[in-house]
């Protein structure tokens, strides 16, 4: 797998209302990633859980790296904001540790802004 693109992972900062919640720039982590295909099985598993998986990416995971968790947010090179619906820890075809992220568009009527 070729990790030739860059994304940023953010945590959603607390706020007094949904309008005031923003992506916390202090928590931003930058990672290289490889685009993956969302197969029908993954798409329908997400739909059964009430989430529409729109993208999947793989991020290499060094041993000392902070884990990426579900319910964090990512901004890939396209500039759109996605919520991490699922983070799976495993290995790639070469046996190297990787985190596979299932990404969904954030639900709700509120925009998420970077601070």
């Amino acid at each position: 797998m070729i990790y030739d693109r860059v994304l940023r992972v953010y945590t959603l900062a607390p706020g007094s209302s949904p309008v005031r919640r923003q992506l916390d720039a202090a928590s931003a982590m930058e990672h290289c990633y490889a685009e993956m295909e969302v197969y029908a099985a993954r798409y329908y598993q997400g739909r059964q859980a009430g989430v529409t998986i729109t993208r999947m990416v793989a991020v290499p995971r060094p041993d000392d790296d902070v884990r990426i968790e579900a319910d964090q947010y990512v901004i890939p090179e396209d500039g759109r904001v996605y919520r991490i619906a699922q983070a799976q820890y495993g290995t790639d075809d070469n046996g190297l540790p990787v985190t596979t992220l299932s990404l969904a568009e954030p639900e709700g009527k509120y925009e998420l802004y970077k601070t």
Side-chain angles (χ1 to χ4, degrees):
M1 205 172 290
I2 299 173
Y3 304 100
D4 60 346
R5 298 177 182 165
V6 178
L7 62 75
R8 291 183 152 248
V9 179
Y10 294 89
T11 302
L12 193 60
S16 58
S17 74
V19 176
R20 299 237 178 228
R21 296 188 79 184
Q22 298 179 345
L23 299 179
D24 185 12
S27 71
M29 299 178 290
E30 201 167 87
H31 296 276
C32 291
Y33 73 96
E35 195 78 36
M36 299 178 71
E37 188 171 341
V38 179
Y39 291 101
R42 177 65 61 103
Y43 175 81
Y44 287 113
Q45 286 172 353
R47 293 295 295 173
Q48 288 176 340
V51 177
T52 302
I53 304 297
T54 56
R55 278 180 96 168
M56 281 182 54
V57 297
V59 176
R61 183 172 32 97
D63 293 336
D64 62 344
D65 196 19
V66 177
R67 293 192 119 186
I68 300 172
E69 302 288 336
D71 293 330
Q72 287 182 306
Y73 291 81
V74 300
I75 300 178
E77 288 184 343
D78 68 0
R80 296 180 69 184
V81 178
Y82 296 92
R83 185 178 58 80
I84 300 174
Q86 184 179 41
Q88 293 180 294
Y89 310 104
T91 57
D92 64 6
D93 296 338
N94 299 322
L96 300 172
V98 67
T99 303
T100 303
L101 304 175
S102 299
L103 306 178
E105 306 242 352
E107 60 277 333
K109 297 180 181 178
Y110 304 106
E111 294 288 329
L112 296 172
Y113 296 103
K114 294 184 281 186
T115 56

